[in-house]
Structure formats: C-alpha cells, structure tokens
Amino acid sequence: MASVSVDDAMRRAIALAARGLGTTSPNPVVGCVLLDPDGEVVGEGFHAYAGGPHAEIVALAQAGRRARGGTAVVTLEPCDHTGRTGPCSHALLAAGVARVVIAVPDPNPVASGGAATLRAGGVDVELGVRAAEAEAGNVAWLTSMRRGWPYVVWKYAATLDGRSAAADGTSMWITSEAARTDVHALRGTVDAVIAGVGTVLADDPRLTARNLRDGTLAIRQPLRVVVDTFGRTPADAWVRDGAARTWVATAAEVGTGPDGRVDLPALLAELHHRGVRAALLEGGPKLAGAFLAAGLVDRVVAYVAPKLLGAGPTALADAGVGTIADAIDLEITDVTQVGPDLRITALPRKKEG
Ligand SMILES: NC(=O)c1ccc[n+]([C@@H]2O[C@H](COP(=O)([O-])OP(=O)(O)OC[C@H]3O[C@@H](n4cnc5c(N)ncnc54)[C@H](OP(=O)(O)O)[C@@H]3O)[C@@H](O)[C@H]2O)c1
C-alpha cells in the first residue's frame, strides 16, 4: 500500500470521528489513523459510543505490532485518565508509537495531560494539525466543555415571510415532509430537545427522533426538556409518554431569572451537569426570543418554506432588540435545499466590545 502524508491521515481521522456524531455524548467524537514507520496506514478507529473503546485503542488493535515506531494521527489529545476505559496515552506508549500528531488539545481537565505523558515517555508530539477542521467537527462538545453549558442550536420553521402559523393558528405543516425528516435526523444528533410550555400546550408535540413514515423511534432519543415556570405541562401530554426521558424544568427546581420565569443560564448549567453537550432549541417564539436575548444561541437552523401567509405569529418573539443597530447579526454558513424548502444555517456574530 502507498504511504500517506500526516496531513491526509488527519483528514481521514476527522472523517472517521464524524461517524460517532450523536452516539458518543457525553464524550467527544474522536478519530485516529495509525501509520507505520514507512507511512502506510496500519490501523484506523473512531470512538463510536460512550463507554466503548476510544479511537486510539481501536486503531492500535488493528495495527498490532505494526504500530511500533509509527505515527498516531488523532483528532483530539489522547486521554490520560482511567474512566470507563484505560488511558490512551499509556496504550500508545505500550505499543511503541514514536510520534503522535494531534489536532486539538483536550479542554477537559479530568482527561487532559495525554500530550505531556507521551512527551515524558519519549514520544515526539505535534499539536495543531488541521485544528480548525477538527474543531468544527467537534464544536458542540468542545464549546460545552470549555464553558460549562451545552451548545445550543435554535431550529425553527417559517414561511418566506417569517411566519410560524397562519392567522387562525394552524401551522401543520409549514414545511415539507423532507424538511421534517431532516429535523428528526437533527434530533438524533443532540442530547436534548428543548421547548417552552407554550408549544406543549398549543401543539402537544412528541419531541422524539423518529421515522416520519412509520413512526418507529430512533435507537437513541434526546432528553425532552419542557421549560415550564409553573409546571403547567398536562399529565397526558405526549412529552410525558414513555418514548424518551423528559424533564419538565420548573422555576421551583431551576430558579427564576429577572423576569420571574425559569432561569435559562441555570437551566443550561443543570443540563450540562446531566451530560448534555448539544441541545436543540425547538421554540417556540417566546422561548427562542429569551434565549437569543440572553446570548445563549450558538447556531441557528431555519427551515424556510416557499409559502406566504401575510398574517399570523412570527417565528421569533421579542429578543431584546429595540432598534436596528441592535439587530442580532448572523453569518450564514450553509444554504441547502431540502425538498421544496431551504435549510439555512447561520452563526450569531459576536458583538464587539
Ligand atoms: N415554527 C416553529 O418552528 C415553531 C416551533 C415551536 C413552536 N411554534 C409555535 O409557537 C407557538 C407557541 O408559542 P410560545 O411563544 O407561547 O411558545 P414557547 O416559546 O414554546 O413557550 C413560551 C412559554 O415558555 C415559558 N417559559 C419558561 N421560562 C421562560 C423564559 N425564561 N423565557 C421565555 N419563556 C419561558 C413561558 O410560560 P410560563 O411562564 O408559564 O413558564 C412562556 O410563555 C405554537 O403555536 C407553536 O405552534 C412554532
């Protein structure tokens, strides 16, 4: 087999890591490629699920003795602690790997230190190769670990004139089945789905990840979170069925913010404590406005249908913007057509100063 460059191996490791998206939480996604001393690929691996073997261990098992004197190319700093599995730094040392190339350092104080251990063991360690790409592939986990609350994606559906329902309140369905199927796939990649009690009272959604055609549930379901100051979620609401875990987050449990409603930073801190790294905020307009006003949205995913309503509620209520200079600026990072609809992904721009 032909030899590959470390850069190509890192590109491959990043692609491998992505296969774990949605199943590794509360752990990160990680990919690893092992090259022998001649630069030939002798092992590949990714972290597939929490509690399962780490990417390095999978790749080392494939490589066997051919790892000796070789290079491990890995998207995240190898762990240095014994959790549900042993430290990868020790496994790499035991295999006799001569060089370890890492894209991103581990921000988790419990697991970091792998690079130092490897260096102390005489291994040549290089950090930062394709770091931006690897960071993007792990953005939810890295962001949530660095700051202590989950990465929040606000998803909404609207008509081309920005409305989420008609004047008579009907809203099913604004977007196509293709777009709604896409949303269910998105739910399958996060640890929690968040909605306000207003949406639960109006629509009685299930908030599960499922196949829209036959209703079968995805194997892994996000935690359903209803933000409900006074505990008004009905006992027979769909979100209380047994299809997935549900947390009705009340002010009594979480505390209240300045407006007397559920304290949103405290809610997110508690979700992080419960192992939630990525959360999908599914609205509705009031809760989304409150999240945006507090600067708690990391990414916006809008499904825009080629329909006009002219009247009816808008997808976003008050977000603390009183004048055009205070508009929440977004940077569009992707526009994809999904069936007849557009899926627009955008990132809120950080305010200067
Ligand atoms: N197009 C879309 O993508 C989409 C998505 C979801 C919903 N919707 C539509 O939205 C409509 C419901 O609108 P909505 O605005 O009432 O729903 P909502 O945003 O889901 O719920 C709002 C409620 O959440 C509770 N809440 C608790 N803590 C809060 C906080 N810190 N900040 C803000 N709210 C907090 C408040 O009730 P308490 O004070 O009682 O707790 C508030 O009235 C439905 O008709 C639904 O169809 C549309």
Side-chain angles (χ1 to χ4, degrees):
M1 222 169 89
S3 65
V4 301
S5 69
V6 160
D7 191 56
D8 281 345
M10 184 63 85
R11 214 166 354 167
R12 171 74 182 145
I14 292 167
L16 284 167
R19 294 202 199 162
L21 272 176
T23 54
T24 63
S25 204
N27 292 344
V29 294
V30 187
C32 177
V33 173
L34 268 172
L35 306 176
D36 72 6
D38 297 327
E40 280 193 27
V41 176
V42 289
E44 288 188 344
F46 66 96
H47 183 44
Y49 58 95
H54 291 187
E56 299 90 321
I57 306 303
V58 178
L60 284 170
Q62 270 178 28
R65 273 184 291 178
R66 288 177 300 169
R68 189 155 293 278
T71 299
V73 178
V74 57
T75 57
L76 185 72
E77 181 182 353
C79 73
D80 199 39
H81 83 309
T82 303
R84 283 186 272 192
T85 58
C88 291
S89 51
H90 294 200
L92 289 162
L93 285 171
V97 166
R99 186 179 175 212
V100 175
V101 178
I102 301 163
V104 181
D106 190 335
N108 182 1
V110 176
S112 65
T117 298
L118 287 162
R119 280 197 183 109
V123 173
D124 177 20
V125 177
E126 190 181 339
L127 261 161
V129 172
R130 287 199 176 262
E133 230 172 286
E135 171 100 22
N138 223 354
V139 67
W141 186 84
L142 287 168
T143 307
S144 77
M145 289 310 293
R146 283 178 190 140
R147 70 183 184 194
W149 74 86
Y151 188 85
V152 176
V153 178
W154 172 44
K155 162 259 145 189
Y156 70 93
T159 59
L160 200 53
D161 57 337
R163 300 188 186 273
S164 63
D168 66 355
T170 51
S171 61
M172 291 174 184
W173 297 106
I174 287 174
T175 48
S176 62
E177 187 175 308
R180 285 180 282 121
T181 298
D182 203 60
V183 169
H184 282 266
L186 193 56
R187 282 182 187 164
T189 66
V190 296
D191 310 312
V193 171
I194 306 174
V197 67
T199 297
V200 170
L201 293 173
D203 297 347
D204 196 14
R206 294 166 197 241
L207 298 180
T208 50
R210 61 188 185 276
N211 182 318
L212 278 185
R213 286 267 158 90
D214 60 16
T216 45
L217 292 165
I219 292 171
R220 187 174 169 276
Q221 291 292 328
L223 171 71
R224 298 179 289 192
V225 180
V226 182
V227 188
D228 181 358
T229 310
F230 307 105
R232 294 189 289 143
T233 301
D236 61 351
W238 272 114
V239 289
R240 291 201 194 262
D241 71 2
R245 290 171 305 137
T246 298
W247 179 33
V248 177
T250 60
E253 199 176 347
V254 179
T256 47
D259 63 353
R261 292 185 158 133
V262 173
D263 184 286
L264 299 180
L267 173 90
L268 291 177
E270 175 57 26
L271 285 174
H272 185 82
H273 179 67
R274 294 181 184 208
V276 172
R277 301 291 172 260
L280 190 62
L281 173 63
E282 296 219 25
K286 282 194 197 124
L287 191 63
F291 265 81
L292 282 159
L296 297 173
V297 171
D298 296 296
R299 189 191 302 169
V300 178
V301 178
Y303 292 87
V304 181
K307 291 186 173 87
L308 297 170
L309 283 166
T314 53
L316 183 61
D318 183 11
V321 178
T323 182
I324 191 71
D326 292 342
I328 298 163
D329 278 331
L330 304 174
E331 179 196 355
I332 293 178
T333 55
D334 181 66
V335 180
T336 300
Q337 183 152 357
V338 183
D341 307 315
L342 284 186
R343 184 188 64 208
I344 302 172
T345 306
L347 306 177
R349 287 188 203 273
K350 298 262 174 297
K351 292 269 183 226
E352 299 292 316

